[in-house]
Amino acid sequence: MLGAIQIIAFLLFVVFIVKGIIDIFRKKKWRKSFIFSLISFVVFMIAILNDPTLDTETASNETKTKSSQEEKKQEEKAEKKEEAAKEESEKKDSETAKKETEKTSEKATTTATTKTATPKAVQHGVKAKVVRVIDGDTIEVLMDGKQEQIRMLLIDTPETKHPQKPVEKFGPEASQFATETLKNKTVGIQVGKERTDKYGRVLAYVWVGDTTYQEMVLEKGLAATAYLYNDLTMLDEFHKAQDIARNKKIGVWSIPGYAHVDHDHGFHYEEEKKAEPATAPKPKPAPKPEPEPQAEFFQNCTDLRTKYPNGVPSDHPAYQAKMDRDKDNYACEQ
């Protein structure tokens, strides 16, 4: 607060200033007025500088300033702590979210793996159930919700149901072995490089656990390796299994010339003709008309082609149904 001296000195300063300005306009002596005005201003300033109240206010203002600065500092510290707490909280939330995401991802991966593994409950190929055994090398399975006929790759078993062939030796045994080993069982179907043959049958390896059925039937001597036009992936393994039966001379290998390795002309052999007992010569019969040409017999297509390179039609004496594999009424054509 301003004191009395300060007020009086300030009023005198104002009065003399005004008076000096008026004297200038009236062209009177104005210097005295400005001198007294200057003296009044000096007194006013001295009074202010020596006023203890001013010091108190200044100190108070300084204290307030310091207090406000400290408050600001405290507020800044509090804000920094809050920001640090927020950052730490966000970091924790982020790590928690990341862990939850990883857990969710792991669960999803596990679920996906389980779903992927479900169709392949067997170790090799696609899971399938055998619903019918047709013969030793052909079965019907339920696979992927569809019934498929499976022709086993790289083996051939003697015929039991061929429309133009009699039941061949060891054919029933091969069919019986397939029935006992496969019927109503769950197997693995591994489709070959070519999916089907010309009859629409799926060409595949049939897995029973860690072993193919082909190896099992070859080892028993109830089949031979054949049909090399398709997939040779497991031919070496099949040869090893087949050699066991060949060395033991069991099954189809017990009859000389009956089975052949890696051929596709089936099973066949020629029984030795029994010698007829000697009899007295018979009188020559009366001449007869020329008989129809007698059938010519050849062991296989290779043998037939030595005489008929281009094969023979169905009405030819050398024609044999077993050599006409594509059933087009022409045997051993090139």
Side-chain angles (χ1 to χ4, degrees), residues 34-74:
F34 280 108
I35 289 170
F36 285 120
S37 172
L38 180 59
I39 293 169
S40 300
F41 178 75
V42 171
V43 171
F44 172 73
M45 290 301 297
I46 291 170
I48 288 175
L49 293 174
N50 292 324
D51 190 352
T53 306
L54 183 62
D55 295 336
T56 304
E57 288 179 357
T58 303
S60 177
N61 290 335
E62 290 177 356
T63 303
K64 287 181 181 179
T65 303
K66 289 181 181 179
S67 177
S68 64
Q69 288 178 350
E70 289 179 359
E71 288 178 357
K72 285 183 180 179
K73 288 181 180 179
Q74 290 178 357

Side-chain angles (χ1 to χ4, degrees), residues 211-225:
T211 306
T212 62
Y213 171 78
Q214 285 98 315
E215 291 170 281
M216 298 168 69
V217 73
L218 286 168
E219 190 173 335
K220 290 286 183 181
L222 301 177
T225 53

Side-chain angles (χ1 to χ4, degrees), residues 270-278:
E270 189 175 0
E271 293 183 356
E272 294 181 0
K273 294 181 180 179
K274 295 181 180 179
E276 295 181 359

Side-chain angles (χ1 to χ4, degrees), residues 5 40 46 59 74 82 84 138 153 181 219 267 280 293:
I5 295 172
S40 300
I46 291 170
Q74 290 178 357
E82 288 180 2
T138 310
L153 280 169
T181 308
E219 190 173 335
F267 298 83

